[in-house]
Amino acid sequence: MKKEPDINTNSAKSTPDELSRKVAETAIRIGVLTLLLFWCFQIVQPFIATIVWGAIIAVAIHPVYRALVDLLRGRRRLAATLLSFGFLVLLLVPTVVLTKLLVENVTTLAEGFHRGQIIIPPPPEGVKGWPVIGDLVARIWSLASTNLSEALKPLQPQIKALGLWLVNVAASAGIGLIMFIFAFIIAGVFLTYSAGSHRLAHGISKRLVGERGDDFANLAEATIRSVARGVLGVAVIQALLAGLGFMVAGVPGAGIWTLLCLISAVVQVGVGPIVIPAIIYVFATGNTLTAVAFLVW
């Protein structure tokens, strides 16, 4: 009599093989997926900060966008394009003017220094009476009024360090400018699809927080706008103070310099890169007392 195969035995023998195969397939899939995610992250990583800034800008200027949409009778894409283009013009035009002015001023200053055309008046008699530093300042000032090159020789390491710092600041400002250009473009895209972006943000918030996801998303939105107003307010105050100093010191094109200070303060670079060349210009061409007062201001 022929013996029938034991079904239970075959199943028991095949089950571990199937499990091993499934585990291997799952491990391979997870590994490939992890590798793809890692590669995608490496590709996107340089743009994460720009995308985040684009989202922040979109949230901050969304009320302006809504008003413009109403003005244009619901043309969302046109409103987003005009708004992004307007901010780009406001950002790029003063930057180009600043770059041109800086190059011209630095070139003029360098040529004047090499030709000996930079004249520094002798120090007033009252400088020696300054406490602690009076004699030192008077001696250096007197030497600079007669031989500027000789007076600057002991300060060459500091001048070199200052030059390197200015170069680093300029490089950082350039990188920041490029980032903000792309951020405004991305903000325009977010604004164009603001309804979908709003639903996506609230959906993610609900997934992370739960029932209070909408409240959390609204709080984040209000916080971004409040911080944006605060940054803008501080930037306006800094620009106004700098502009007042430019006008009192007689810096040519004070209005342009003030606008550049405003933009530089808004992008969190600070007014230093704008004010320092103006101070150097006043020291080189203006009254020393005015220059010192401008420096202190």
Side-chain angles (χ1 to χ4, degrees):
M1 184 175 180
K2 190 175 180 180
K3 186 177 180 181
E4 295 182 359
D6 191 349
I7 298 176
N8 294 330
T9 303
N10 291 338
S11 300
K13 290 182 179 179
S14 61
T15 299
D17 295 336
E18 291 180 359
L19 288 176
S20 299
R21 181 173 56 81
K22 290 180 179 179
V23 169
E25 290 179 355
T26 304
I28 293 173
R29 290 175 182 175
I30 293 175
V32 172
L33 181 60
T34 303
L35 186 61
L36 289 175
L37 289 175
F38 176 75
W39 282 344
C40 291
F41 176 76
Q42 291 294 319
I43 295 173
V44 176
Q45 185 180 9
F47 307 99
I48 291 178
T50 305
I51 294 172
V52 171
W53 270 111
I56 292 174
I57 292 172
V59 172
I61 65 176
H62 189 263
V64 181
Y65 166 74
R66 290 299 309 167
L68 189 58
V69 168
D70 294 338
L71 185 64
L72 296 175
R73 298 179 180 179
R75 299 178 182 176
R76 297 177 178 272
R77 293 186 179 181
L78 179 59
T81 302
L82 290 177
L83 198 59
S84 300
F85 181 75
F87 276 106
L88 286 176
V89 170
L90 186 63
L91 183 66
L92 289 176
V93 171
T95 302
V96 173
V97 174
L98 170 64
T99 304
K100 183 179 179 181
L101 288 175
L102 285 178
V103 171
E104 291 178 353
N105 290 337
V106 171
T107 302
T108 302
L109 186 62
E111 291 178 353
F113 178 78
H114 287 296
R115 294 176 182 177
Q117 296 176 347
I118 298 178
I119 300 175
I120 298 179
E125 292 295 332
V127 173
K128 292 183 179 180
W130 291 359
V132 182
I133 62 172
D135 292 335
L136 178 62
V137 172
R139 186 172 67 254
I140 296 176
W141 196 336
S142 299
L143 180 60
S145 64
T146 56
N147 191 341
L148 183 59
S149 300
E150 190 67 25
L152 293 178
K153 280 184 179 179
L155 301 176
Q156 285 183 355
Q158 290 80 2
I159 295 174
K160 184 177 180 180
L162 177 62
L164 292 175
W165 177 77
L166 290 175
V167 170
N168 291 331
V169 169
S172 300
I175 294 173
L177 175 65
I178 295 173
M179 186 188 73
F180 269 94
I181 290 174
F182 284 103
F184 276 115
I185 295 174
I186 293 172
V189 176
F190 281 138
L191 290 174
T192 303
Y193 302 98
S194 58
S197 301
H198 182 270
R199 289 193 299 269
L200 177 62
H202 280 256
I204 294 175
S205 181
K206 286 181 179 179
R207 289 285 185 180
L208 295 175
V209 183
E211 296 180 356
R212 301 188 61 184
D214 288 333
D215 296 335
F216 183 80
N218 292 331
L219 178 61
E221 181 180 344
T223 302
I224 290 174
R225 289 176 182 167
S226 298
V227 171
R229 293 191 190 100
V231 170
L232 186 60
V234 172
V236 169
I237 293 173
Q238 290 180 337
L240 289 176
L241 292 175
L244 181 61
F246 292 147
M247 289 187 291
V248 173
V251 177
I256 296 176
W257 290 97
T258 303
L259 179 60
L260 294 173
C261 284
L262 176 61
I263 295 174
S264 182
V266 168
V267 300
Q268 299 298 291
V269 175
V271 298
I274 315 298
V275 174
I276 290 175
I279 293 174
I280 296 174
Y281 172 81
V282 174
F283 267 102
T285 61
N287 181 272
T288 305
L289 181 61
T290 303
V292 172
F294 183 40
L295 175 62
V296 173
W297 175 261

